[in-house]
Amino acid sequence: MTLYFFLWLHHKVNCLILYTKMKFTLIFGSLIGLAAFCFVSCDEAAKQLELQLLTSNIELLEAALRKECNHTENNGLIGRRRRALIREKRLSIDGRISVASHQLIILKKEYMNCKNYKGTVLTGSKLLGLFAPRNIKHYSWPALNDGKDSGVIKQVVFKKLFSNTAVKVEVTTNMRVAGKGKCCRWFFTFDNQECKPQTIESARYMSSTNDFHISYSFHGVCPALNRGNLVMALNVGKCRNGSGYALGDCYTGRYSTTHLTVEEIELS
């Protein structure tokens, strides 16, 4: 009787262990399957988004070609076939992306040929991102040690590519204002004129006799600037009229690197 009981118990324990293993295998397998499904779904969604962006850019360029270059049917029969392949659901998503990418390259070439032939630059701000790489310049000076109180600190020439864009500037340096009740103002000029309608500036006021050289940065965006070479300058001088503060003892870039970044940007 005792032997029979132990055999029965051994059988039940083995069944329980087997059941637990099967449960774990099913749960683990389900989790792996779910993760794989999510990965595939996310990858598919990313590709669909890429295709939508390509299609949107193609439509944008086709409209520009019709409007600005008097194109009635881009690329003729070949172009129509490619557009049909982009919409073809039976073609794999990778295949449709490949066709769309190729079509976009052709349209870009057509548009550039058209604009070059007419001797003009790209006019639609929506097309800027399709053609122009990021137009950004960075300048640095290891130690300006400039003690002037008024005048140009540094001057650079920046080539602005388009007429319908703005220029963003940012400077990081070391500044000092000495003199109780005094003030210094740092500001940017473009072709010897301050930005309109708002200036790009930073003013510092001193209410004590301390002599602190402090790391400082300021930035701004200037619209309505013509395309071409811009002479940009970082200046220092007296604070605005009406501030009530006299010009202080100004200092720029004391034994530290000064960084200036200039970028051409689109404003929405």
Side-chain angles (χ1 to χ4, degrees):
M1 185 71 180
T2 306
L3 180 60
Y4 176 78
F5 173 76
F6 277 111
L7 288 174
W8 175 83
L9 183 61
H10 179 71
H11 174 71
K12 289 297 183 183
V13 170
N14 285 339
C15 287
L16 182 60
I17 293 172
L18 182 61
Y19 175 77
T20 305
K21 287 182 178 179
M22 290 177 63
K23 265 294 202 182
F24 178 77
T25 303
L26 287 172
I27 293 172
F28 187 68
S30 299
L31 288 174
I32 292 177
L34 181 62
F37 174 76
C38 291
F39 178 78
V40 171
S41 298
C42 291
D43 185 56
E44 186 74 14
K47 289 180 179 180
Q48 289 288 352
L49 188 62
E50 182 182 0
L51 183 62
Q52 288 177 15
L53 181 61
L54 286 168
T55 305
S56 176
N57 289 336
I58 287 172
E59 292 172 354
L60 191 65
L61 272 172
E62 286 179 339
L65 279 164
R66 287 192 296 269
K67 181 179 179 181
E68 301 176 36
C69 303
N70 298 320
H71 280 214
T72 55
E73 184 58 50
N74 305 317
N75 298 319
L77 180 61
I78 296 176
R80 288 196 296 273
R81 285 176 177 171
R82 286 203 188 95
R83 287 192 293 278
L85 282 173
I86 293 169
R87 295 189 294 268
E88 178 56 65
K89 301 295 184 183
R90 290 174 295 180
L91 190 64
S92 70
I93 185 70
D94 291 322
R96 292 161 67 193
I97 288 173
S98 177
V99 173
S101 300
H102 187 58
Q103 177 71 356
L104 187 61
I105 291 171
I106 291 174
L107 291 174
K108 281 183 181 181
K109 289 180 180 178
E110 283 195 11
Y111 189 79
M112 289 304 294
N113 288 338
C114 164
K115 304 309 282 187
N116 288 337
Y117 175 74
K118 291 185 176 181
T120 58
V121 298
L122 305 183
T123 55
S125 61
K126 290 182 179 179
L127 297 175
L128 179 61
L130 289 175
F131 293 91
R134 196 173 179 188
N135 185 18
I136 182 170
K137 296 290 184 183
H138 178 258
Y139 310 88
S140 62
W141 301 273
L144 292 177
N145 292 326
D146 195 318
K148 71 169 61 73
D149 301 329
S150 181
V152 175
I153 301 294
K154 271 298 177 182
Q155 182 174 284
V156 298
V157 176
F158 178 76
K159 187 173 183 179
K160 188 171 180 285
L161 301 178
F162 301 92
S163 58
N164 56 345
T165 54
V167 172
K168 177 183 177 182
V169 293
E170 181 173 5
V171 64
T172 301
T173 187
N174 174 307
M175 299 176 179
R176 189 278 309 270
V177 181
K180 186 175 181 179
K182 300 295 179 69
C183 176
C184 292
R185 173 176 174 258
W186 286 263
F187 59 96
F188 281 100
T189 55
F190 304 86
D191 291 336
N192 298 318
Q193 299 292 325
E194 289 200 57
C195 183
K196 297 179 181 180
Q198 302 296 336
T199 59
I200 302 175
E201 62 179 348
S202 179
R204 293 194 63 200
Y205 302 87
M206 181 57 66
S207 59
S208 67
T209 56
N210 292 323
D211 184 16
F212 294 139
H213 294 260
I214 300 174
S215 181
Y216 211 69
S217 68
F218 68 95
H219 67 274
V221 175
C222 190
L225 294 171
N226 294 327
R227 62 184 291 262
N229 290 330
L230 283 174
V231 179
M232 298 177 49
L234 173 64
N235 308 263
V236 67
K238 186 179 179 181
C239 290
R240 292 186 183 185
N241 293 332
S243 67
Y245 286 77
L247 178 62
D249 183 4
C250 313
Y251 204 95
T252 308
R254 181 179 174 84
Y255 295 110
S256 61
T257 301
T258 296
H259 294 274
L260 171 63
T261 304
V262 187
E263 182 178 9
E264 184 174 5
I265 62 172
E266 289 183 272
L267 295 177
S268 59

